Every structure is written in structure tokens, then in C-alpha cells.
Amino acid sequence: MPELRKDPILGRWIIIAEERGKRPTDFLVEESKVKGGFCPLCPGNEKTTPDEVLVYGRQWGDPNSSGWKLRVVPNKYPALIIEGNLDKQGEGLYDRMNGIGAHEVIIETPNHDDRFTYLPPQDMLLTFLAFRDRILDLAKDSRFNYVVAFKNYGKAAGASLEHSHSQLVALPILPRMVTAELEGSLSYYKYKDRCIFCDIIRQEMQQNIRLVCENDHFVTLTPFAPRSPFEMWILPKRHHSSFVAQDDRSLIALAEIFSETLRRLDACIPHAPYNFVLHTQPLRSGSLDYYHWHFEIVPKLTSIAGFEWGTGFYINPMPPEDTCRFLREVTL
Amino acid sequence: MPELRKDPILGRWIIIAEERGKRPTDFLVEESKVKGGFCPLCPGNEKTTPDEVLVYGRQWGDPNSSGWKLRVVPNKYPALIIEGNLDKQGEGLYDRMNGIGAHEVIIETPNHDDRFTYLPPQDMLLTFLAFRDRILDLAKDSRFNYVVAFKNYGKAAGASLEHSHSQLVALPILPRMVTAELEGSLSYYKYKDRCIFCDIIRQEMQQNIRLVCENDHFVTLTPFAPRSPFEMWILPKRHHSSFVAQDDRSLIALAEIFSETLRRLDACIPHAPYNFVLHTQPLRSGSLDYYHWHFEIVPKLTSIAGFEWGTGFYINPMPPEDTCRFLREVTL
């Protein structure tokens, strides 16, 4: 059973997801490429994954057979497990609870060699529809307070399989990123009575120096204080705190700008490893006037020194205005 | 001129330290090993570094000549620069200031092939004496509020030179790690009227399941909620908020336990890349009853997925009790 533990000083929760029998030196093997060979995510190998919890595009045939366009399956090596009670316990001044949660893999395409970046927007859309469907479903489980939806692309960004996929982790607690964003934006709202993200979008549209691209519904920015060169945020122009409240039209526009954004990144830095993370309100929190859902895309480039993760203090070798110019000027 | 920028939502400051003429694809080149060849930190090459600001062990000879045991020099490619005013400015809802600060390199040994881990404690001591001397000196500059002292060992942990060295960054602002720790420990103090770190040490000595080693002055723990396998904290047993207030006796004991701690790590995972960061009170803050200086050592192992840095949410594949057992059981 995995376990959740809270750092008593910082209030930061971590998951101990023990990989049994692991020896210290097992952590040392750094592979420069994602593993090739047999692919459990390819059509024909459906039986090697846990049973699918969502499928799109299979017209006929049994569950866990081929013929699909997108599949969602529980992670075979989950960081958290779905069965059990939270069972919160103290240990002196420490707090822990059972590692209850869900960990799912979104297989974004049946084609092993497809890259997410170059999926046609109508196919990329399926991933966002799957995020919405799965988060809505997981929200029914009152043990969960948040679902983190994210993608690791490239070994340096943490991907362990080549086949294009993203992940969902349903958590009984709020991760620090979420509480910090909620607190920061609430504090601005109390002072100004306005959503800080709406104000940022307004200022960025006026200044037009960090605006990478836009469509009717969305805007892509290089943020004012980015952690990494080529960090980008994709924000909906219309205020809303919840990703899952978006209708199909909005998600189509999201797929279109997401596709353009990633193609611009790839044109600047071919095959740049990156993570993207969906930032949205906690499950069942009701609509919030002070918070604004969005995606953050952070390329994982070598210039980020290790100590920065420990101190929360980032050194970025390129201003976002320059990054933005590079991203705008590429030919797509 | 580098620039400091604040994320308006999180209050996180970042440094834009522009490397001029850098093209997007320059960020892509990932080298698996730290560069060899000419070493600017070796004796005989003193003239290739900026002029030394501190030296130990040179009995005779001019400044910036050989014959030293430890040298501190300004970083040739500093993230922050020492000359100028802070010049704080707004830009709509954003905040920025000039990148004023200091960035220094501690060359820990004249011998290119020495590893910090295996320096005799009396030589390792020099690094801690240099941290103390330089922080005391930098604290005289009222533009600075904090000095981060840290070491990156191994390419995966951000080291760009082979020759054993650590770094100091003097900052006009407090990094997020520091404010979060101060807030967390103050909140505990208000409630309990006790230092949370003192309580942690007391509980860990009693439980004796995460205690790696100790001497009269210090204790090394695997923390209850570690971000990474083999994360370790070295804490002084006697309460004090300030590293620079430590006397020589205390720093000798620090070098002894630091040496043992790193040798235990190396015996478990040979050449594991790691970062260590000194956690101490802000400059000129006066002694704090609620805060407790310490070192945090975080190995940088592949199992940490990229998205974790974005969410502040860590998955750790090994409980600290197991890590501790491995660390205790090695033969030194």
C-alpha cells in the first residue's frame, strides 16, 4: 500500500510508492533514451495493460480489443491505489495516510510513432475530452480532492514509454502548487476584486510582447517570470475556474491552440523534452471568481540546475520576450 | 544586467540571467558527462578566474598565485552582479528589480581529482569555514537579504565543472524555500511554543528508525517525508537559527558528520549526483527561537519525474526507514 506523508514544516505532501525489492544502486541507471522494443500501449497488446476505463473510437469489438482511437487504462505501476480507506494517522508530530488515489494513463493515439505535437487538432481533442470525462468521473469519489492531469514528453522530462501518452493522478490532498496558486490569486482578488489571471491576459494583450498566439477562445503567453526558457501558459480568455466546465466548442479551440503552441516550440527546439500540467480548481469546489484554469508547458532543458528544485529559486538564461519572439517568428 | 522578476500569483522570484546570443537550439545539447580538458579551477590557472575574494592555506606568494588549499572567486558567468542599485520597478501588475547580488565559487581543493566526499574532515572543514567567512562578509551589504550556499555534484545535479567546488549566491530577496520554512516553523512555534526542528530531533532520537548517524553536536536523518530516495538532513542538536553563529568546534563536528554522511551515501550509490543546500536564517535577522539551521542533501536520481517540479508533488519509490537502514548498514 503506498503512503502519503506530510512534511511538518512545509506542509508538503509526498507519496511513498515503494517499488519492492529495489536496491540502492537500481536508482543509478540513467538511460538516455526512452525504452524501445515491446510496447504495451500499441494495438494488439491491449491485454497487457489493466482493463480500460474509457475508450474512444472503437466501433465494434470487445473491451480491450483493438480498433480504438484513444484508451484510458489504470497505470500498471500506480503511485496510488484505488481500493481502501484514507486511514489518516499521526506518528508523534508527523502525519500520514494511506496512499488512496487513482493513477491512469491516457493512450493518446493507436500509432506508436505519432507525436502529440503533430496530431491533427481533431485527434488531439480526444485527449482533452478524456481529461474532462475522467476528471468528472473521478470527482464522484468523495475521497479525492484533486486530479492532476499532465504529460511528460521525452526521457529528460520523465517519460518512461515512447508511445504518446499522458497521465491522471487523483489525490486525496491538494498539491502545494494548487494551494499556493489558490492563495495567491485569492489574496489579489481580496485586494482588487478582480481575477489576477484576467488582469494578466488584459495586460499581455495590450503589451503584446509575450503573446505567442491566440484564437477566439484562448491565448498562449510566455509568462513574465518563467522558470525555464520557452515556458508557456495557455489560458482561456473567458473567466472560468474549472476545466471540466468547458463545452466541446471550447475544447476544440483548446486543441487548435495547443497544437499550434507545441508546433511552434518544436520548430524552435526540435524534440525539446517538456511537461505540461493542467491547473484547475479542486474537485467539487464550485465555481471560483478568483481562480482561472489554464495549462502550463515547461520545457525541461539542461540549463536548470539541480539546486533550483530544492530552493524554489530559478535562474533562466533567456527573457520571455526573446523566447516569445523566437516562437512567433518560426514558419509553421 | 540580469533581472529579478516576481511571479504575481505565487510570489516566486526568478532571475533572468541572459546569456547573450544564445539560440533556442543551444539549450538542447545535453552532455552526459561534466566537461574535461582545461580546468580553470586548478592551481596554475588562477589568472583565468576573476580575482579571489578569500583564500586559505597560501603561506607566501601573491594573490591569485598557486600554493592555496581553498579559494573563493566570483563566478565568471554570474547569475547576479555586484555593482549597481536595486532599482525596483513595476510594469502594470508585474514587479521586477535589477539583478544585484553576488555569485561566488568555492574551490574546495587544489587537487583536480579529489572528491568532496573523500576529503579528510580537516580539509572539508575549510569549505564550511569559507561559507561562514563569506556569508559574514556579504551580510555587511545591506542590499542583500539572503545567501544561498549550495553544492551541485555530478552533471545530473547541475555541475558544469569536474573540479570539486560549491557556490554562494547572495540575493536581495528571500527565495520561496526560505519564506515557506520560516512561515511553517513560526506557525508551529506559535501553537506549541517550541522549535519544530528541536521536536523533530527529539522524536527521531527516540524512534531511532530514520537516524543515520550522529556525533556530539549533530545528527543526520532521513526525513519523514523525503522528496527523493536517500534525501538526508544534517541538523545541529543545539538550537540555533544561524549557521554563521557557529564556532570552530561546531564546524569541526559538522565536517566530521558531513564526511561520514556522504561516505555512507557513496557506499550505497557510488557517485550518486546530489545537491546540498544550507538552510539558515535571513541575513541580519537576529537569532530566531522558531527556526533551526541545517543542511539538506538531495540526491538527484532518475526516478523523479519532471512534472513533480511543476506541481510540488513528489513520488518517492523508497521509504526513508529503508533508506536509513541501507545507509546504516554499509561498511565504511
Side-chain angles (χ1 to χ4, degrees):
Chain A
M1 166 74 83
E3 187 176 86
L4 285 156
R5 295 188 179 197
K6 187 160 90 170
D7 179 281
I9 300 135
L10 299 174
R12 171 179 61 208
W13 286 92
I14 60 115
I15 299 174
I16 307 276
E18 199 167 349
E19 295 170 23
R20 299 216 176 265
K22 200 126 186 172
R23 304 288 309 174
T25 42
D26 294 343
F27 295 116
L28 199 61
V29 188
E30 175 121 27
E31 285 159 63
S32 58
K33 280 196 69 180
V34 168
K35 278 194 207 91
F38 175 81
C39 176
L41 308 189
C42 270
N45 302 335
E46 288 81 0
K47 298 290 189 287
T48 64
T49 66
D51 286 350
E52 64 201 22
V53 291
L54 179 70
V55 66
Y56 294 150
R58 188 190 291 125
Q59 310 272 335
W60 53 84
D62 294 327
N64 305 305
S65 64
S66 56
W68 46 272
K69 295 197 78 173
L70 176 147
R71 282 177 92 214
V72 182
V73 299
N75 194 313
K76 201 164 181 175
Y77 307 100
L80 294 160
I81 58 171
I82 196 97
E83 297 88 8
N85 303 318
L86 287 177
D87 191 20
K88 303 181 186 187
Q89 287 183 13
E91 176 185 316
L93 54 74
Y94 299 133
D95 301 293
R96 62 167 100 220
M97 61 173 93
N98 279 343
I100 303 297
H103 190 169
E104 300 180 352
V105 177
I106 293 96
I107 311 167
E108 298 157 338
T109 166
N111 305 314
H112 187 85
D113 294 324
D114 277 354
R115 287 180 59 198
F116 188 71
T117 299
Y118 292 105
L119 288 182
Q122 65 269 26
D123 291 341
M124 191 182 276
L125 169 65
L126 299 183
T127 294
F128 301 117
L129 292 173
F131 283 175
R132 190 180 62 182
D133 283 353
R134 290 306 303 146
I135 296 173
L136 282 168
D137 189 48
L138 290 162
K140 292 178 199 154
D141 190 325
S142 64
R143 296 172 306 169
F144 303 151
N145 276 317
Y146 200 80
V147 178
V148 185
F150 64 98
K151 181 177 178 70
N152 301 335
Y153 171 73
K155 179 77 186 170
S160 54
L161 288 167
E162 252 177 12
H163 196 124
S164 190
H165 68 286
S166 44
Q167 299 178 65
L168 292 173
V169 177
L171 295 162
I173 49 88
L174 294 182
R176 260 169 86 71
M177 164 276 284
V178 178
T179 44
E181 263 189 11
L182 289 170
E183 282 166 18
S185 53
L186 178 60
S187 131
Y188 186 89
Y189 188 83
K190 279 181 179 160
Y191 190 58
K192 304 262 194 183
D193 216 28
R194 293 193 307 269
C195 166
I196 188 167
F197 294 94
C198 290
D199 275 9
I200 286 174
I201 293 166
R202 202 172 297 121
Q203 178 170 337
E204 292 295 350
M205 307 272 289
Q206 268 169 16
Q207 286 191 289
N208 197 24
I209 50 173
R210 285 176 293 266
L211 189 72
V212 177
C213 53
E214 61 172 319
N215 61 24
D216 283 353
H217 293 71
F218 290 90
V219 60
T220 298
L221 307 174
T222 53
F224 176 76
R227 286 155 283 185
S228 146
F230 293 89
E231 175 169 346
M232 292 182 279
W233 294 2
I234 299 178
L235 301 121
K237 291 178 176 174
R238 201 166 61 85
H239 179 84
H240 210 294
S241 55
S242 169
F243 168 77
V244 295
Q246 302 306 301
D247 59 18
D248 288 4
R249 240 173 91 99
S250 168
L251 293 189
I252 291 167
L254 175 65
E256 282 164 355
I257 199 163
F258 223 112
S259 158
E260 179 177 345
T261 300
L262 289 179
R263 281 182 290 124
R264 286 187 183 278
L265 174 63
D266 199 58
C268 286
I269 311 184
H271 295 272
Y274 67 83
N275 303 106
F276 73 64
V277 180
L278 169 61
H279 292 230
T280 185
Q281 67 178 30
L283 300 177
R284 307 176 301 278
S285 73
S287 172
L288 306 172
D289 288 338
Y290 60 87
Y291 189 69
H292 198 116
W293 76 270
H294 62 283
F295 277 94
E296 298 188 5
I297 304 170
V298 185
K300 178 77 178 42
L301 303 167
T302 48
S303 47
I304 304 177
F307 100 99
E308 299 173 303
W309 304 308
T311 59
F313 168 75
Y314 292 84
I315 301 173
N316 180 344
M318 188 180 274
E321 297 77 20
D322 289 5
T323 312
C324 184
R325 220 184 46 246
F326 283 121
L327 288 162
R328 275 187 192 181
E329 285 171 2
V330 294
T331 333
L332 290 186
Chain B
M1 167 72 87
E3 188 176 85
L4 285 155
R5 296 188 178 196
K6 185 159 92 169
D7 179 281
I9 300 137
L10 298 174
R12 171 179 62 208
W13 286 92
I14 61 115
I15 298 174
I16 307 277
E18 200 167 346
E19 295 170 23
R20 299 213 178 267
K22 202 126 185 172
R23 305 285 311 172
T25 42
D26 295 344
F27 295 116
L28 199 60
V29 188
E30 175 121 30
E31 284 159 65
S32 58
K33 278 198 72 181
V34 168
K35 278 195 206 88
F38 175 81
C39 176
L41 308 189
C42 269
N45 303 334
E46 286 82 0
K47 297 292 189 286
T48 64
T49 67
D51 285 352
E52 65 200 22
V53 292
L54 180 70
V55 68
Y56 294 149
R58 188 191 290 124
Q59 311 271 335
W60 52 83
D62 295 327
N64 306 304
S65 65
S66 55
W68 44 273
K69 294 198 77 173
L70 175 145
R71 282 177 92 216
V72 182
V73 299
N75 194 313
K76 202 166 181 175
Y77 307 100
L80 294 160
I81 59 173
I82 197 99
E83 298 90 6
N85 303 318
L86 286 176
D87 191 21
K88 302 182 187 188
Q89 288 184 11
E91 176 185 316
L93 54 74
Y94 300 131
D95 300 295
R96 61 166 101 219
M97 62 173 93
N98 280 343
I100 303 298
H103 190 167
E104 301 180 350
V105 177
I106 292 95
I107 311 169
E108 298 156 339
T109 166
N111 306 314
H112 187 86
D113 294 325
D114 276 356
R115 287 180 59 196
F116 189 72
T117 298
Y118 292 105
L119 288 182
Q122 65 269 28
D123 291 340
M124 191 183 276
L125 169 65
L126 299 183
T127 293
F128 301 119
L129 293 173
F131 283 174
R132 190 180 62 183
D133 284 352
R134 291 304 305 143
I135 296 173
L136 281 168
D137 190 48
L138 290 162
K140 293 177 196 153
D141 190 325
S142 65
R143 297 172 306 170
F144 304 150
N145 276 317
Y146 199 81
V147 178
V148 186
F150 64 98
K151 182 179 177 67
N152 301 334
Y153 171 72
K155 178 76 186 171
S160 54
L161 288 165
E162 251 176 13
H163 195 123
S164 191
H165 68 285
S166 44
Q167 299 177 66
L168 291 173
V169 178
L171 293 163
I173 50 89
L174 295 181
R176 260 172 86 74
M177 164 275 281
V178 179
T179 45
E181 263 189 13
L182 290 170
E183 283 167 18
S185 52
L186 178 58
S187 132
Y188 186 89
Y189 189 83
K190 281 182 178 161
Y191 189 58
K192 304 261 194 184
D193 217 29
R194 294 193 306 268
C195 165
I196 186 165
F197 294 94
C198 290
D199 275 9
I200 287 173
I201 293 166
R202 201 171 299 122
Q203 180 170 336
E204 292 295 349
M205 307 271 288
Q206 266 169 18
Q207 285 191 291
N208 197 23
I209 51 173
R210 284 175 293 267
L211 190 72
V212 177
C213 53
E214 61 173 319
N215 61 26
D216 282 354
H217 292 71
F218 290 91
V219 60
T220 298
L221 308 173
T222 52
F224 176 75
R227 286 154 284 185
S228 146
F230 293 90
E231 176 170 346
M232 291 181 281
W233 295 1
I234 299 178
L235 300 120
K237 289 179 177 173
R238 200 167 59 88
H239 179 84
H240 209 292
S241 54
S242 171
F243 169 77
V244 294
Q246 302 308 300
D247 60 18
D248 289 4
R249 239 174 91 97
S250 168
L251 294 191
I252 291 167
L254 176 64
E256 282 163 356
I257 199 163
F258 224 111
S259 158
E260 178 177 344
T261 300
L262 289 180
R263 282 183 288 122
R264 287 187 182 277
L265 174 63
D266 200 58
C268 286
I269 311 185
H271 295 271
Y274 66 82
N275 304 105
F276 72 65
V277 180
L278 169 61
H279 292 230
T280 184
Q281 68 178 31
L283 301 178
R284 307 177 301 279
S285 75
S287 172
L288 306 172
D289 288 338
Y290 60 87
Y291 189 70
H292 199 115
W293 78 271
H294 62 285
F295 276 95
E296 298 188 4
I297 303 170
V298 184
K300 177 78 179 44
L301 303 167
T302 48
S303 47
I304 303 179
F307 100 100
E308 297 171 306
W309 304 309
T311 59
F313 168 78
Y314 294 83
I315 300 171
N316 179 343
M318 190 182 271
E321 297 77 20
D322 288 4
T323 312
C324 183
R325 219 184 46 245
F326 283 121
L327 287 162
R328 276 187 191 181
E329 286 172 1
V330 292
T331 333
L332 290 187

